[in-house]
Amino acid sequence: MKKIQVALLGLGTVGKGVYQNLTVHRKRIEEKLGISIDIAVIVVKHPEKHQAFEANALITSDFQTVLDNPSIDIVLEAIVGKEPAFTYLSQSIQAGKHVITANKEMFAHHGKQLLALANANKVEIGFEATTAGGIPIIQTLNQLFQVNGITKLTGILNGTSNYVLTEMRLRQLTFEQALHQAQQLGYAEADPSNDIDGHDAFYKLMILSQVMFNTQPEWSQVERTGISSVTLNQVVRHQAKQERIKLLATVEMINGAPQAKVAPEVLTADHPLYTIDGAYNGIFLEGDIVGTLTLSGLGAGAHPTASAMLEDLAIILRHGEATKRPYLVSTTSR
Ligand code: HSE
């Protein structure tokens, strides 16, 4: 059987999810793809903190190990923040390696640049995991809607905020209690203010705008309001009227320019995202041929995000097998 080696950058919630799922589902992946995948190197900031992690891989802080190893074909990145992720991925692409990222902040800032670099180096970038966890929204927009013009997207894009608002509503937890639970469950970012202040949803929305419209709004013009000022009292009052507060992210092309907003909104029962609860994300699309449709799925946590990264991995491997070429021109940008 053909064997490939990959590197994993980061061993937090998502990195561990990728490692575990690749290990647990090794046989299924080998049977489906006819390829054996070996995680050869795991790059982390502090290897000494991961001694208890039982990995059949080199755990190192030295990223150069990855660049220097020509047998590593694909780099899976699950680090927090723009750097060193952007530098690592740029260098990987320049070394002819495909890359797969879950890093929304980095990709919202540098996605366009990385896609151009990948194109020039004839490698692929998978970034499904940057947006809406396990929902295959990037593939849906990029591959399944080639002819439709998607005119508007409304999304619940942050699992932590949705979980917090849901727990406040269903169990009358305070904001702080609900957020603590979201952290315990591995939904929240290392700095949860990224979730509750709307930054995380904003980055995901900018990535979606880039995919849908090949452009992003001027960031400073986008309203970004989080959920930290939503009180239990407000949630309960709206609940009594069959209304729910959700953190909505919307982007729409208006007069040739994308207009976007991230803010809590009160939804009535007829809204397509009304029933999206807990750590689930929901995305409501409006297309000029298809009409409207709603996608939902778990938006946070180790497994949904690992799922998105592993499906990207499978797509890249399938493309390589189909064309019998080691590397492909990226198909990920319109
Ligand atoms: N903290 C993020 C969320 C994780 O809650 O949605 C997934 O991107």
Side-chain angles (χ1 to χ4, degrees):
M1 186 180 299
K2 186 173 172 182
K3 288 189 192 332
I4 67 144
Q5 293 194 353
V6 303
L8 178 60
L9 314 184
L11 201 50
T13 303
V14 176
K16 282 187 180 133
V18 168
Y19 188 90
Q20 282 159 359
N21 279 290
L22 256 183
T23 309
V24 169
H25 301 296
R26 174 175 300 282
K27 195 156 175 282
R28 187 195 297 169
I29 294 168
E30 288 178 357
E31 280 169 7
K32 282 241 173 191
L33 300 173
I35 297 173
S36 167
I37 300 164
D38 174 30
I39 298 186
V41 182
I42 303 174
V43 178
V44 293
K45 209 172 183 181
H46 300 292
E48 66 283 1
K49 288 190 187 162
H50 298 278
Q51 278 168 1
F53 188 76
E54 282 182 27
N56 195 12
L58 170 70
I59 299 185
T60 175
S61 58
D62 182 10
F63 176 69
Q64 195 62 36
T65 314
V66 175
L67 289 181
D68 290 346
N69 185 344
S71 302
I72 293 177
D73 294 311
I74 303 179
V75 175
L76 295 109
E77 180 258 325
I79 316 181
V80 174
K82 284 182 287 183
E83 288 293 351
F86 176 57
T87 301
Y88 286 175
L89 292 195
S90 302
Q91 291 176 344
S92 299
I93 290 168
Q94 282 162 331
K97 300 177 194 302
H98 301 288
V99 301
I100 295 168
T101 179
N103 188 329
K104 48 260 161 139
E105 180 177 358
M106 183 280 298
F107 205 76
H109 282 91
H110 300 302
K112 204 172 168 190
Q113 219 175 324
L114 284 179
L115 284 164
L117 194 61
N119 216 25
N121 285 275
K122 298 196 175 356
V123 299
E124 289 198 55
I125 301 184
F127 58 99
E128 187 68 71
T130 58
T131 305
I135 303 177
I137 183 62
I138 304 295
Q139 283 295 329
T140 299
L141 291 170
N142 261 336
Q143 304 296 339
L144 306 180
F145 285 134
Q146 305 272 349
V147 180
N148 271 270
I150 302 296
T151 49
K152 184 173 179 186
L153 177 148
T154 308
I156 293 174
L157 299 178
N158 183 257
T160 300
S161 300
N162 206 37
Y163 179 86
V164 167
L165 293 170
T166 305
E167 289 296 297
M168 287 168 79
R169 189 182 89 240
L170 294 180
R171 278 174 258 293
Q172 275 77 57
L173 295 190
T174 62
F175 181 89
E176 289 72 23
Q177 286 168 326
L179 178 60
H180 181 69
Q181 281 191 7
Q183 289 177 289
Q184 299 296 308
L185 290 164
Y187 300 150
E189 299 298 298
D191 175 0
S193 65
N194 279 319
D195 297 293
I196 59 178
D197 292 341
H199 295 284
D200 181 78
F202 170 85
Y203 293 137
K204 292 166 178 169
L205 189 64
M206 294 303 105
I207 293 170
L208 290 170
S209 173
Q210 190 71 46
V211 173
M212 289 165 65
F213 304 130
N214 205 21
T215 183
Q216 299 182 15
E218 181 59 45
W219 284 20
S220 61
Q221 301 300 308
V222 179
E223 177 188 337
R224 179 189 48 76
T225 309
I227 61 160
S228 46
S229 59
V230 177
T231 64
L232 181 54
N233 194 13
Q234 282 173 319
V235 170
V236 170
R237 242 181 325 111
H238 284 293
Q239 166 73 347
K241 293 189 279 179
Q242 312 298 317
E243 294 169 346
R244 296 179 181 173
I245 302 176
K246 300 283 177 192
L247 183 67
L248 290 194
T250 53
V251 64
E252 179 176 16
M253 193 56 105
I254 298 174
N255 297 330
Q259 310 281 322
K261 179 180 173 185
V262 176
E265 310 265 355
V266 176
L267 304 188
T268 49
D270 55 352
H271 194 284
L273 301 179
Y274 179 82
T275 56
I276 308 295
D277 267 350
Y280 276 76
N281 281 188
I283 296 178
F284 179 63
L285 293 174
E286 298 174 42
D288 57 5
I289 306 175
V290 71
T292 60
L293 84 159
T294 307
L295 305 173
S296 74
L298 276 173
H303 295 297
T305 314
S307 162
M309 294 187 85
L310 295 180
E311 294 298 348
D312 271 348
L313 178 60
I315 288 169
I316 290 173
L317 293 175
R318 276 224 196 278
H319 286 168
E321 286 302 289
T323 57
K324 298 290 172 212
R325 287 162 57 201
Y327 301 118
L328 281 183
V329 177
S330 171
T331 56
T332 44
S333 179
R334 284 185 187 173

